[in-house]
Amino acid sequence: MDFELTPEQRAFRETLRAFVEKEILPVATEWEHSGRYPTEIIEKMKQMGLFGLSVPEEYGGMGADMVSFALVFEEIARGWMGVAGTIGSHSLACWMIARHGTDEQKSLYLEDLASGARRTAIALTEPGAGTDLQGIQTRAVRDGDVYVVTGTKTWITNARHADPLPVLVKTSITSPAHLGMSVLLVDPSSPGFSVSRDLPKLGYKGTETCEVVLDRVRVPVSGLLGGVEGRGMQQVLGGLEIGRINIAARAVGVAQAAYDAALAYARERTAFGQPIADFQAIQLKLADLATEIQAARLLTYWAASQADGGKRVDMEAGMAKYFASEVALRASLESMRIHGGYGYSQEFVVERLYRDAPLMAIGEGTNDVQRMVIARALISGKGKVGW
């Protein structure tokens, strides 16, 4: 049993950490508060090859193992969680195209996606369907050699930059509904495609989160992911397993940043003639934070290593995402408490972490859904704990 990163993974982490320290941390607070898009940071990530994380090497990507994949999101989220979002949805969609796309689709898109010349995202959620994806209303009706797509998608990260945008649709009405669901790769320049609005958010700023309208958008049949109808839900659920590792790692990064800020402040802040780190009440908080964060990190990298082994990780990724996101919530609040009044001030990083943390408990499937996924795996015998 080995709990250590490989030398290559350690070197990769140090590269990521230096990038975050130099390019993200100095500007994150100012840019986040002003709503500035992190263009320069994204350009640097392109140069580093991070847009090719989940693209195979044969298409010019990094073909990263899942532990290295998680390292990227932990380190970048430690600096600014919103920036991690710009490659989160992109990496999930790239993984789906690489895993399920036809040879033509892979040749057409993956090389440009790996370099960042193209970016992508994933359009699943609708105003009336989030957790229950089988309840989506977006329809794609076959008309000769095209599908005519009508519907609205919401909470779409990278909406203004996605080319193509994979969209979950119903290509037929079936019972059960998932048998009639497919993913179409939509060209955003198509007539009838529009980004209707930006959604106002508590946190997760820096990247856009939008509502997308498809008004009789015509998509060539060649844009059907995998070339076969009715496989969309299967394709999406496989991608979401990887997405939950991404979210878990982001949560660990946010929690680590909250802990780092709390520890530094406790050492520097004095009260009653001594650093507040000398008070047992503060020490107990720090001990709890450190223990929970390390547990979340190990759970996340365990799930990632299981995925590297080629197995289904719906239970493992669900555990990691559920636990790590709850730790991020607690860590950001406890860090704010340790900071006292300063924790509530925009002059300190903690208030941003406190606003960013809740998204991880909601995104890629709510934590209540993760608990159901875990329980079903255990009851069915497909998953187990212990040796």
Side-chain angles (χ1 to χ4, degrees):
M1 185 178 293
D2 188 356
F3 289 99
E4 295 295 325
L5 299 176
T6 66
E8 293 78 13
Q9 289 166 343
R10 286 199 300 272
F12 186 46
R13 183 185 62 187
E14 292 309 308
T15 298
L16 292 165
R17 193 163 289 177
F19 163 64
V20 170
E21 296 286 341
K22 180 181 178 182
E23 306 288 346
I24 297 180
L25 284 174
V27 300
T29 296
E30 178 186 348
W31 289 9
E32 198 265 356
H33 288 159
S34 67
R36 188 185 190 285
Y37 194 76
T39 303
E40 295 88 342
I41 296 173
I42 289 171
E43 290 303 314
K44 182 65 174 179
M45 290 196 296
K46 290 179 183 179
Q47 296 169 21
M48 295 172 67
L50 296 183
F51 280 88
L53 264 180
S54 57
V55 176
E57 292 181 358
E58 64 187 285
Y59 294 100
M62 191 179 294
D65 62 88
M66 290 310 302
V67 172
S68 296
F69 177 87
L71 281 169
V72 170
F73 290 100
E74 178 184 345
E75 291 300 324
I76 293 179
R78 184 179 62 85
W80 183 1
M81 204 276 287
V83 170
T86 63
I87 56 171
S89 296
H90 174 93
S91 298
L92 190 159
C94 287
W95 184 92
M96 289 175 55
I97 294 170
R99 177 64 63 93
H100 301 294
T102 63
D103 289 341
E104 179 185 1
Q105 290 164 349
K106 294 175 186 179
S107 297
L108 179 60
Y109 295 121
L110 287 179
E111 186 174 341
D112 283 348
L113 290 172
S115 69
R118 289 179 185 259
R119 289 160 59 186
T120 187
I122 184 77
L124 308 178
T125 302
E126 299 184 1
T131 297
D132 179 18
L133 285 177
Q134 295 192 72
I136 65 169
Q137 299 299 310
T138 299
R139 285 297 314 276
V141 179
R142 181 78 177 260
D143 180 18
D145 60 356
V146 301
Y147 290 99
V148 181
V149 184
T150 302
T152 300
K153 295 292 183 177
T154 194
W155 292 106
I156 312 304
T157 297
N158 286 344
R160 286 195 170 84
H161 298 88
D163 177 18
L165 177 63
V167 179
L168 184 65
V169 302
K170 286 184 175 175
T171 43
S172 59
I173 303 302
T174 60
S175 182
H178 69 85
L179 297 177
M181 299 172 72
S182 306
V183 173
L184 296 178
L185 304 176
V186 177
D187 181 344
S189 66
S190 303
F193 181 97
S194 64
V195 176
S196 58
R197 66 188 182 108
D198 289 89
L199 299 173
K201 299 171 292 185
L202 172 68
Y204 189 47
K205 298 182 179 180
T207 183
E208 79 275 27
T209 306
C210 304
E211 187 171 85
V212 171
V213 175
L214 301 104
D215 182 10
R216 297 187 59 79
V217 174
R218 298 175 72 82
V219 180
V221 170
S222 60
L224 175 65
L225 184 63
V228 180
E229 290 186 5
R231 296 185 179 174
M233 182 63 87
Q234 175 188 357
Q235 294 164 347
V236 164
L237 291 180
L240 287 176
E241 289 182 21
I242 304 308
R244 286 164 186 157
I245 293 174
N246 153 21
I247 295 295
R250 283 199 239 175
V252 172
V254 169
Q256 183 69 49
Y259 166 79
D260 290 343
L263 179 61
Y265 184 80
R267 286 169 168 166
E268 296 169 0
R269 176 70 172 182
T270 59
F272 306 103
Q274 58 185 313
I276 64 171
D278 290 348
F279 295 116
Q280 189 178 60
I282 300 298
Q283 292 174 355
L284 296 179
K285 289 181 185 294
L286 293 172
D288 288 346
L289 289 180
T291 302
E292 290 191 354
I293 292 166
Q294 190 62 3
R297 178 176 287 110
L298 292 174
L299 194 55
T300 298
Y301 288 86
W302 167 69
S305 66
Q306 292 294 297
D308 278 330
K311 63 175 290 186
R312 282 287 305 273
V313 291
D314 47 347
M315 184 190 79
E316 292 88 343
M319 285 180 168
K321 187 267 185 189
Y322 162 51
F323 185 76
S325 61
E326 294 293 334
V327 168
L329 284 167
R330 288 193 293 273
S332 60
L333 178 58
E334 288 305 304
S335 184
M336 182 176 285
R337 285 173 165 160
I338 289 171
H339 280 77
Y342 285 117
Y344 204 64
S345 168
Q346 289 190 344
E347 294 179 349
F348 284 69
V349 71
V350 181
E351 63 87 28
R352 168 162 57 85
L353 302 173
Y354 181 74
R355 288 185 288 105
D356 280 345
L359 180 64
M360 270 80 74
I362 299 169
E364 307 290 343
T366 67
N367 280 356
D368 285 339
V369 167
Q370 303 315 309
R371 293 161 69 195
M372 290 189 290
V373 168
I374 295 163
R376 288 170 183 166
L378 295 171
I379 292 167
S380 69
K382 294 179 180 179
K384 67 177 184 178
V385 296
W387 299 108

